[in-house]
Amino acid sequence: MYQKFIYTILLVAIISVSNILHTGASQHIDTKNELLQMTDVANEQGIKIKSWSMYVKQPMTEYQKVKDVKKRIEEIKEEYNEFSWSKQENKGDNYIITGKRNLPSLNVKEKILLIYLPSGNQYKLSVNYDVKGVGWDSKDFEGILKRYQTEIKQFSVFYTIKGHTGLKSNLEKETNNLLKEFSGQAIEHINEPDFMSVSASTGRWENNIPLEDEKFMNLHIAYRNSNNGLTTVTIGTPIITSEY
């Protein structure tokens, strides 16, 4: 059941995010970066952060000719010339080029995904940035924020953190306690013996995904028990963008 839920949420939010992610007014909005807020709460709740990710998606840009698309791709590759770029891959109607760079000193891996495809008499180009880090150091992340500050200000951004914790009570109570720390209100949830997932809304952040009945979500929390006695905790805004 939860797998169907995961795939549905990711499909709606990642593929169609440029159409559904929007800004809503709230007097409770915190101007501090969302990932920094999530890691603060996680640390306060005794969750040891194992990894984090930032996914930035630009709206698709239209071009009249394929040569214009390829020109823009070359400009991006030149701008990010410290990345290692793959050859163009044909994925059905899509053409994909991937740039990668590792930053061992920061325990960070960066990836830029360029996707272009024919659309009628035009071509569309999608530019996506995927940054993943191991562990957590707020000072190191400040450098990432500075590097991507233009993209973060202008485009749709998804943050996810994953960590471990020892349960003090059952999964449902732990999830609800964490939700309260974000001043969140549950919208949808899945409750299984070793798994708990909650989609919620919080006034902390502007960005949100509209749901039915004029509701919205911008916070996603999941708890999963493991065989080693630890519980995996995953938190995302507005959704979790990795497996959990």
Side-chain angles (χ1 to χ4, degrees):
M1 179 179 177
Y2 65 84
Q3 288 181 335
K4 181 179 179 181
F5 176 79
I6 293 170
Y7 297 148
T8 301
I9 291 294
L10 291 181
L11 180 65
V12 171
I14 298 299
I15 296 179
S16 304
V17 66
S18 59
N19 295 323
I20 63 175
L21 197 66
H22 71 281
T23 299
S26 173
Q27 61 181 354
H28 303 296
I29 291 169
D30 193 326
T31 57
K32 189 176 183 180
N33 175 268
E34 290 96 326
L35 184 59
L36 293 174
Q37 292 183 53
M38 290 196 296
T39 55
D40 284 348
V41 171
N43 288 328
E44 291 170 0
Q45 295 302 304
I47 299 170
K48 185 176 182 180
I49 300 171
K50 293 300 204 179
S51 63
W52 61 270
S53 67
M54 178 181 74
Y55 185 90
V56 183
K57 182 176 178 62
Q58 295 186 15
M60 283 193 170
T61 305
E62 294 184 349
Y63 296 85
Q64 297 300 319
K65 300 178 180 180
V66 67
K67 69 176 184 179
D68 296 330
V69 177
K70 293 185 176 181
K71 179 182 178 182
R72 177 56 186 148
I73 289 173
E74 290 304 315
E75 291 173 349
I76 294 173
K77 290 168 68 175
E78 179 62 27
E79 181 181 355
Y80 293 90
N81 55 20
E82 68 274 28
F83 281 61
S84 175
W85 290 93
S86 70
K87 294 182 179 180
Q88 177 177 293
E89 299 180 60
N90 188 345
K91 300 289 187 180
D93 293 332
N94 298 340
Y95 299 91
I96 301 174
I97 301 171
T98 304
K100 295 181 179 180
R101 183 177 79 152
N102 293 340
L103 299 174
S105 61
L106 302 179
N107 288 319
V108 166
K109 293 183 178 180
E110 295 176 276
K111 181 165 65 175
I112 301 175
L113 191 64
L114 309 178
I115 306 173
Y116 76 93
L117 66 155
S119 178
N121 296 324
Q122 299 177 323
Y123 291 85
K124 290 185 177 182
L125 174 65
S126 174
V127 183
N128 309 291
Y129 305 86
D130 190 6
V131 184
K132 298 183 184 299
V134 177
W136 175 252
D137 188 316
S138 59
K139 292 182 180 179
D140 290 343
F141 182 66
E142 292 290 349
I144 298 297
L145 280 179
K146 185 176 181 180
R147 176 177 177 79
Y148 288 95
Q149 60 182 332
T150 299
E151 289 79 8
I152 291 172
K153 288 180 180 178
Q154 295 182 358
F155 308 120
S156 303
V157 186
F158 299 81
Y159 297 103
T160 298
I161 62 172
K162 181 176 288 187
H164 293 154
T165 187
L167 282 183
K168 299 176 182 177
S169 56
N170 61 53
L171 285 183
E172 183 174 7
K173 188 172 182 178
E174 292 281 344
T175 305
N176 289 335
N177 287 340
L178 186 58
L179 187 60
K180 289 179 182 178
E181 293 299 318
F182 288 101
S183 302
Q185 179 180 357
I187 304 297
E188 298 174 347
H189 72 275
I190 295 173
N191 192 349
E192 299 181 353
D194 292 316
F195 176 76
M196 181 80 183
S197 174
V198 175
S199 299
S201 64
T202 173
R204 279 177 175 253
W205 307 310
E206 289 183 312
N207 289 339
N208 60 70
I209 296 175
L211 302 174
E212 296 179 353
D213 300 325
E214 298 184 352
K215 295 179 180 179
F216 68 89
M217 67 170 285
N218 57 6
L219 174 64
H220 195 181
I221 296 173
Y223 275 74
R224 180 183 293 282
N225 284 333
S226 61
N227 294 328
N228 59 9
L230 289 176
T231 299
T232 299
V233 185
T234 312
I235 309 170
T237 177
I239 62 163
I240 296 170
T241 58
S242 61
E243 294 182 2
Y244 55 93

